[in-house]
């Protein structure tokens, strides 16, 4: 059985126990990260740790840990392959259920691994495009915090599954924001457009790399408001995440996007991302 990490120990999952008064369990008073490892090497670790720190600070959870050492060691113990590390930090456990926060609590730190596909090792032609549905965004107003309060995300993902789709895009006031567990990007002509972020969107590490590669390669990149009509009229629509990489969207609700085939801009960006990832193994 794979090892998990819990509060300083690397143990089997069946030995890992958390208090019923843990605030992560009772209130989703906790934050998390999902960090991809390919062939045992982390990808974009700095950005994940920076975002973890921002999430912790936003909730005023003080947790001192050598995060990288913990996740590296866990990945090594679990075979050093293509794995994502799920890392969760809760505010900790008290001795009763109460809304008020006891500032002396010791955070609970948990990590486990899951096998992932090496998103960028497939040839461009073999990557399958996906279908998405568009749903009303029922989440709170601080989606920049990677909080474990994921009920709205889970409910729309279930709707997507029932409709044969692989992701649900979330919209508020006719403005598309992101996917239930991914960021959204659209292409108009030769321009790449991402939704305006502020607090309504998670600052994705993958979409950040896409932005960086666009700028470095002379592709115009803008942040603008995206309405449903604009989404359907886009030349290309993509989603991005650490576990799924960059995927082309070919169908939105009942509408086939453009010609229904993967776009040229997606092919180019996918290859740029794959080259970036190859550099990881050569370093
Ligand atoms: N989700 N937006 C949301 C709401 C997400 O949950 C995620 C990632 C992203 C993409 O972020 P990144 O590129 O840093 O993975 C955007 C992870 C994979 C998850 O919840 O499992």
């Amino acid at each position: 059985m794979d090892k998990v990490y819990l509060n300083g120990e690397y143990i089997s999952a069946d030995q890992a126990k958390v208090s019923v008064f843990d605030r992560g369990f009772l209130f989703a008073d906790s934050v998390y990260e999902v960090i991809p490892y390919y062939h045992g090497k982390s990808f974009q670790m700095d950005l994940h740790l920076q975002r973890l720190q921002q999430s912790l600070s936003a909730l005023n959870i003080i947790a001192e840990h050598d995060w990288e050492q913990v996740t590296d060691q866990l990945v090594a113990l679990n075979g050093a392959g293509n794995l994502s590390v799920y890392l969760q930090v809760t505010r900790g456990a008290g001795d009763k259920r109460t809304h008020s926060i006891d500032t002396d609590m010791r955070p609970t730190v948990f990590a486990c691994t899951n096998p992932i596909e090496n998103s960028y090792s497939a040839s461009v032609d073999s990557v399958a495009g996906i279908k998405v549905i568009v749903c009303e965004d029922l989440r709170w107003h601080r989606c920049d915090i990677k909080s474990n309060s994921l009920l709205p995300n889970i409910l729309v993902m279930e709707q997507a599954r029932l409709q044969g789709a692989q992701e649900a895009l979330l919209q508020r006031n006719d403005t598309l924001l992101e996917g239930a567990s991914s960021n959204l990007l659209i292409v108009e002509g030769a321009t790449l457009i991402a939704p305006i972020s502020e607090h309504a969107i998670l600052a994705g590490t993958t979409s950040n790399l896409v932005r960086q590669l666009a700028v470095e390669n002379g592709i115009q990149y803008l942040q603008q408001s995206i309405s449903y009509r604009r989404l359907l009229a886009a030349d290309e629509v993509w989603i991005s995440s650490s576990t799924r990489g960059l995927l082309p969207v070919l169908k939105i609700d009942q509408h086939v996007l453009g010609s229904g085939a993967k776009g040229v801009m997606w092919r180019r960006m996918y290859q740029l991302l794959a080259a970036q990832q190859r550099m990881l193994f050569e370093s």
Side-chain angles (χ1 to χ4, degrees):
M1 187 185 287
D2 280 352
K3 295 277 189 246
V4 302
Y5 173 87
L6 184 63
N7 299 328
E9 291 185 294
Y10 298 89
I11 48 182
S12 342
D14 57 356
Q15 290 178 307
K17 302 277 185 289
V18 178
S19 163
V20 289
F21 290 120
D22 195 286
R23 294 179 65 89
F25 173 60
L26 294 175
F27 300 113
D29 188 354
S30 57
V31 298
Y32 75 104
E33 270 302 320
V34 179
I35 308 161
Y37 277 72
Y38 301 110
H39 304 291
K41 279 192 177 182
S42 63
F43 193 56
Q44 304 228 89
M45 177 60 90
D46 291 352
L47 285 184
H48 285 281
L49 294 187
Q50 207 178 312
R51 190 171 64 190
L52 174 66
Q53 197 45 58
Q54 281 163 1
S55 298
L56 288 168
S57 301
L59 269 58
N60 202 17
I61 295 177
I62 298 159
E64 301 294 336
H65 242 74
D66 187 342
W67 307 112
E68 193 166 351
Q69 207 259 324
V70 166
T71 56
D72 280 359
Q73 189 163 341
L74 186 64
V75 166
L77 285 170
N78 288 338
N82 297 329
L83 296 168
S84 67
V85 175
Y86 172 79
L87 174 62
Q88 182 178 357
V89 185
T90 85
R91 197 181 298 279
D95 53 10
K96 59 178 189 295
R97 178 189 179 274
T98 167
H99 285 65
S100 52
I101 291 170
D102 170 359
T103 47
D104 291 339
M105 252 171 220
R106 198 159 49 88
T108 301
V109 178
F110 167 67
C112 62
T113 59
N114 275 311
I116 48 168
E117 294 291 320
N118 182 344
S119 332
Y120 309 112
S121 67
S123 71
V124 222
D125 290 324
S126 66
V127 176
I130 63 163
K131 174 185 170 179
V132 302
I133 59 167
V134 174
C135 297
E136 206 47 46
D137 188 356
L138 298 177
R139 302 173 303 164
W140 69 333
H141 293 280
R142 288 301 308 274
C143 298
D144 55 319
I145 301 171
K146 204 159 169 57
S147 142
N148 283 96
S149 201
L150 290 172
L151 196 50
N153 309 53
I154 287 166
L155 293 180
V156 291
M157 277 306 283
E158 181 57 8
Q159 276 187 49
R161 189 185 68 79
L162 293 172
Q163 293 178 46
Q166 290 76 45
E167 179 60 297
L169 299 181
L170 302 168
Q171 68 171 351
R172 268 180 207 175
N173 306 321
D174 193 28
T175 302
L176 270 298
L177 295 170
E178 62 180 334
S181 69
S182 61
N183 286 114
L184 167 70
L185 293 140
I186 68 168
V187 177
E188 288 178 349
T191 305
L192 192 52
I193 298 151
I196 299 163
S197 31
E198 307 215 342
H199 290 322
I201 296 175
L202 187 76
T205 58
T206 319
S207 63
N208 183 71
L209 183 56
V210 168
R211 180 187 54 77
Q212 188 188 313
L213 291 171
V215 172
E216 282 169 17
N217 289 278
I219 300 168
Q220 189 178 31
Y221 176 96
L222 302 173
Q223 277 187 297
Q224 290 182 346
S225 173
I226 302 170
S227 65
Y228 187 70
R229 182 203 278 258
R230 189 174 186 186
L231 178 77
L232 293 188
D235 294 308
E236 297 183 32
V237 174
W238 309 339
I239 61 152
S240 69
S241 88
S242 297
T243 45
R244 293 196 273 185
L246 186 69
L247 292 179
V249 173
L250 304 184
K251 201 169 175 197
I252 301 169
D253 295 326
Q254 67 279 28
H255 310 279
V256 174
L257 201 73
S259 66
K262 291 176 280 188
V264 283
M265 287 280 279
W266 173 80
R267 285 170 184 271
R268 183 163 175 216
M269 186 52 73
Y270 180 86
Q271 277 161 338
L272 290 171
L273 282 163
Q276 192 73 19
Q277 197 221 29
R278 273 196 303 277
M279 274 165 44
L280 173 74
F281 306 124
E282 285 155 16
S283 62

